[in-house]
Amino acid sequence: MRGIASLGVALGLAQATLAAPTPIMGVWGPEDLERIPGTPLVIVSQYYALRDNVKGDLALLDTTTDRIAPLPIKAALEKGWGDAACTAPPSHIGPHGIHLSKRADGRWQLLVVNHQERESIELLEVDQGGRSLTWRGCVPSTEVFNDVAALPGGGFIATVPTAHGQPEKIDGTPAGFLMEWHPGGKLRRLPGSDAAFNNGVQVSPDGKTVYFDAWTTSEIVRYDRASQRITARVKAGFMPDNLSVAADGTYLATGIDKLIGRTCVTLDKQCSSSFTVGRFDPRTMTVTPLYHGAAGEMAGASIGLQVGKNLYMGSFTGARILKVPMPQ
């Protein structure tokens, strides 16, 4: 792994070869992005929490025009989607992390971390090629989740940055962990998954391995579900927030380079740190920098998503999405 100083040199050289980013406006806190396969559409999670008098929601980005549109949601409870005790949707979903996957019956399922009215994972079906959503069920929680990823067989893994009842820990204290849920079961804390501010998460295609970001220690962590322990860590050189799957099967990790005081997580104007998008290779547990954004370019960077030949970047506190040609 490069040290911080040499990483900065590498990033600067890479940045010099890239075109200036194109801003896409009309969003608010586009914390997470999920592309709908086979379409040019990207679901945008507009993170409501931390924003003054603003409720978040789910929106739709059409990458053929780079325009944002509302994403309507209707409700129709369906057995087999979520916990049987959850029988009605919240009046409004306040989204955080999201994850799109195909169910066993071929339908597309969107998992949504929700903070509005209740703490929960909401389960929605993607309809009409992505133009609308149908709420199907939920899994309520006493813990406050950050991100979620589907498991084979219909379950999911979710990250908890700080355990319920504790003040939010952003000082590098290992106060977070993973939780797992399966249909017909209960949420359970995964032993040996404790880390510092467990954040973005992805699961290997076979479901055996979990990769998650420890945001405040700038690490990407590998967790083995069978042995129930962390098996590897890698320093990213920045604060990785969310992980997305790139076209080559590796992951893109995105985050601010450093936390500019505690107000960084509450005020947009205080969180315009420089940021990095890196390629995380799970086979070698290495991170290679791809894009470096200057301070002020986008506040609170949290996600980088490859869509064809372009890279789309969102943030947990900013008012824009950035688009650049996909770095190689």
Side-chain angles (χ1 to χ4, degrees):
M1 286 299 297
R2 297 183 177 92
I4 293 176
S6 59
L7 174 65
V9 172
L11 290 171
L13 292 174
Q15 173 72 349
T17 65
L18 298 176
T22 300
I24 300 170
M25 312 305 287
V27 292
W28 194 265
E31 200 273 345
D32 206 357
L33 306 172
E34 280 283 332
R35 184 185 183 184
I36 302 174
T39 79
L41 305 176
V42 172
I43 299 173
V44 181
S45 173
Q46 301 191 101
Y47 181 37
Y48 95 105
L50 315 180
R51 227 70 62 232
D52 290 345
N53 303 311
V54 174
K55 285 185 177 181
D57 56 22
L58 296 167
L60 199 64
L61 168 66
D62 188 333
T63 61
T64 59
T65 60
D66 286 339
R67 291 184 177 178
I68 303 289
L71 187 49
I73 303 173
K74 60 180 182 291
L77 178 67
E78 184 171 331
K79 185 178 179 180
W81 291 64
D83 191 316
C86 178
T87 58
S91 61
H92 183 89
I93 293 176
H96 199 153
I98 58 175
H99 187 257
L100 185 65
S101 64
K102 185 174 284 190
R103 292 173 62 91
D105 61 6
R107 291 187 286 175
W108 286 102
Q109 169 186 275
L110 184 71
L111 298 173
V112 182
V113 172
N114 173 52
H115 301 307
Q116 184 74 34
E117 297 180 21
R118 63 189 178 206
E119 294 296 332
S120 57
I121 303 294
E122 304 293 332
L123 289 80
L124 298 93
E125 182 180 353
V126 179
D127 304 320
Q128 300 179 18
R131 300 291 178 179
S132 67
L133 300 171
T134 301
W135 179 90
R136 296 295 189 189
C138 84
V139 178
S141 172
T142 57
E143 299 291 349
V144 179
F145 294 133
N146 183 294
D147 197 18
V148 63
L151 287 168
F156 61 74
I157 300 285
T159 55
V160 177
T162 304
H164 177 70
Q166 296 187 44
E168 187 176 62
K169 303 290 180 65
I170 61 170
D171 60 356
T173 300
F177 50 88
L178 302 176
M179 294 195 78
E180 182 174 311
W181 177 85
H182 294 278
K186 300 293 184 181
L187 278 166
R188 70 181 187 97
R189 179 171 175 166
L190 290 182
S193 65
D194 294 27
F197 209 97
N198 299 38
N199 203 318
V201 63
Q202 290 284 348
V203 176
S204 62
D206 62 9
K208 296 180 179 180
T209 308
V210 181
Y211 300 97
F212 69 92
D213 295 326
W215 190 56
T216 54
T217 50
S218 301
E219 295 174 308
I220 301 176
V221 182
R222 185 178 70 201
Y223 178 86
D224 182 74
R225 291 180 62 219
S227 62
Q228 297 191 327
R229 64 187 181 93
I230 290 171
T231 56
R233 300 171 183 264
V234 60
K235 285 287 187 181
F238 55 95
M239 297 175 70
D241 194 314
N242 284 327
L243 294 169
S244 68
V245 182
D248 63 358
T250 61
Y251 298 108
L252 300 182
T254 304
I256 58 177
D257 290 337
K258 61 181 179 179
L259 195 61
I260 312 173
R262 186 170 182 84
T263 54
C264 183
V265 299
T266 57
L267 298 174
D268 184 15
K269 64 182 179 181
Q270 295 295 327
C271 204
S272 293
S273 168
S274 59
F275 64 93
T276 300
V277 180
R279 186 185 301 279
F280 167 58
D281 190 332
R283 297 164 298 183
T284 59
M285 288 297 293
T286 56
V287 179
T288 305
L290 292 179
Y291 181 85
H292 186 239
E297 197 168 279
M298 182 173 66
S302 59
I303 180 67
L305 178 72
Q306 182 177 3
V307 180
K309 297 182 178 180
N310 293 311
L311 172 66
Y312 287 82
M313 295 168 283
S315 71
F316 64 84
T317 188
R320 65 178 61 187
I321 291 172
L322 293 183
K323 172 186 173 182
V324 296
M326 182 66 194
Q328 301 300 316

